[in-house]
Amino acid sequence: MSTAVYPPIFPHDLIKAEEATLARELQWLLSSLQETLASFKSGLEECVALLVPTEPGSTLVVSSLRSESVKGFVTRVGTRIVKGDISLRLPTLPPPPRLLFFPLRLSTLSTAPSLVLTQLTSVRNLINQCLDVVDISTWTGDAHDAHFISGQLRLLLELIQEARQTLKGGEPSDALGKWWESCLDENIFSPTPPPTLALTLSIHDASLILHIRTLQLIAPSSLSTTTTTTPSTSFLSADAGLSLRQRLGLAAKLPEHDESNRIFIYKGQEVRVREKVRVDSQDPSLMAVMAKLSALEHGVRCARRGLGVVMMSGGEDDE
């Protein structure tokens, strides 16, 4: 069975008719994409609403599973941690006198530095850039220029992918780069933690990840440096942070971890990580943001692919 056009159309007239049909279809698609862009903007604004500082914030449990090593909570407001109270019971971290645990609380002093989650700041900035791209595509640029809209959709897709990847994070231990260069400022806490305690806070898979490391000095660093260390950040001896039982070798053997046999330069000192504890705390708001970004990424991909087909480009670069 075959189809034919009657009356017959000459080949060159058929080509012109096909081109005219494609042009009309392209204009129709560009007009409908304005509604699609409006839906993208609505989804992005929902993501922004989940990241803006809104009281009372999100209170997250920060506790280790099946142990009493770490127990407490933190409160996130926007991109900042504004409140925190954590109790540590680690074999390598002796508690203060008359206490069974080591208290770790965020300082309430006005002079204390803020605890900002840089990953969330980056995500919020990227989402704001996405909103700018949508506004330019809708109001500033030529909404009937297929190449312009295609380029804007590609930029929007790249920004959404970067925001989602930032929220997802890389390897949990490397979410902030080298941990020995990105530990939390001890002045954030009250009382100030000992210099043998290193803390890092990051985002991975839309969850808050707290890494706690207790350190042991190996030897004074032989590296030349022009920075002088203050008494609050210098190590007093190789036994700093050890209990009497540990110094005498009577304490139970510590569990192995992936950094047991490595040496790091931390604040100008060569140290070894004696104990390492990781605590995950899922954040429902961040999980919602990641889900929305994934849906937006899929929507932008489909829009680009449809526009590419009509423009005869096929959308190959979407893959």
Side-chain angles (χ1 to χ4, degrees):
M1 182 177 181
S2 62
T3 58
V5 177
Y6 184 84
I9 301 177
F10 292 104
H12 66 278
D13 292 333
L14 181 60
I15 293 175
K16 290 181 179 179
E18 291 176 349
E19 291 177 349
T21 301
L22 284 175
R24 289 193 298 271
E25 184 177 357
L26 180 59
Q27 290 305 313
W28 171 84
L29 181 57
L30 290 173
S31 298
S32 65
L33 278 177
Q34 294 303 306
E35 298 180 3
T36 305
L37 288 171
S39 67
F40 291 160
K41 182 176 181 179
S42 177
L44 291 168
E45 288 174 343
E46 292 176 0
C47 293
V48 172
L50 291 169
L51 293 176
V52 296
T54 304
E55 295 293 345
S58 301
T59 299
L60 309 174
V61 175
V62 181
S63 297
S64 53
L65 298 176
R66 298 183 294 275
S67 75
E68 298 293 327
S69 300
V70 183
K71 294 293 180 183
F73 72 92
V74 295
T75 300
R76 180 185 64 82
V77 176
T79 60
R80 298 169 55 243
I81 301 295
V82 299
K83 186 184 297 183
D85 190 347
I86 302 174
S87 301
L88 304 179
R89 300 185 66 175
L90 305 176
T92 56
L93 185 65
R98 297 185 297 276
L99 289 179
L100 298 177
F101 58 87
F102 189 92
L104 199 62
R105 301 184 181 93
L106 287 186
S107 176
T108 57
L109 298 177
S110 58
T111 56
S114 300
L115 178 47
V116 179
L117 299 172
T118 56
Q119 287 171 268
L120 294 187
T121 302
S122 299
V123 171
R124 189 175 64 179
N125 292 338
L126 289 168
I127 294 176
N128 287 333
Q129 293 179 45
C130 290
L131 289 171
D132 292 339
V133 171
V134 173
D135 288 339
I136 291 174
S137 304
T138 305
W139 305 107
T140 306
D142 186 356
H144 298 288
D145 185 343
H147 293 285
F148 169 73
I149 295 299
S150 178
Q152 292 296 99
L153 288 176
R154 177 167 187 165
L155 177 58
L156 181 61
L157 178 62
E158 292 174 352
L159 290 172
I160 291 176
Q161 288 176 330
E162 186 176 354
R164 190 177 67 85
Q165 185 58 41
T166 302
L167 195 58
K168 180 178 178 59
E171 292 297 326
S173 59
D174 298 330
L176 292 176
K178 301 177 180 178
W179 68 262
W180 54 93
E181 296 177 353
S182 57
C183 290
L184 300 180
D185 189 343
E186 61 270 14
N187 295 320
I188 294 175
F189 304 97
S190 178
T192 303
T196 54
L197 182 64
L199 305 166
T200 56
L201 197 61
S202 61
I203 302 295
H204 180 69
D205 280 340
S207 299
L208 197 66
I209 308 297
L210 173 64
H211 275 103
I212 303 169
R213 294 175 173 87
T214 56
L215 310 176
Q216 180 182 11
L217 177 67
I218 296 178
S221 176
S222 59
L223 301 177
S224 59
T225 177
T226 58
T227 304
T228 59
T229 58
T230 61
S232 61
T233 60
S234 61
F235 295 92
L236 300 180
S237 69
D239 292 334
L242 304 183
S243 65
L244 179 60
R245 288 174 55 85
Q246 292 163 350
R247 295 178 185 182
L248 296 177
L250 302 177
K253 184 179 180 180
L254 296 174
E256 294 291 330
H257 53 82
D258 58 343
E259 298 174 348
S260 297
N261 300 319
R262 298 180 59 187
I263 297 176
F264 304 95
I265 304 297
Y266 177 68
K267 295 183 178 179
Q269 303 281 355
E270 292 185 352
V271 298
R272 178 181 289 112
V273 178
R274 301 198 71 246
E275 189 173 5
K276 177 182 176 181
V277 178
R278 171 185 165 178
V279 179
D280 298 28
S281 181
Q282 292 186 335
D283 190 323
S285 296
L286 298 185
M287 295 173 66
V289 172
M290 176 168 282
K292 291 179 183 296
L293 289 176
S294 297
L296 286 168
E297 180 184 354
H298 176 72
V300 176
R301 281 184 181 275
C302 291
R304 287 201 65 217
R305 187 175 295 112
L307 182 58
V309 169
V310 178
M311 292 175 63
M312 306 304 291
S313 64
E316 296 88 350
D317 53 352
D318 283 346
E319 305 301 331

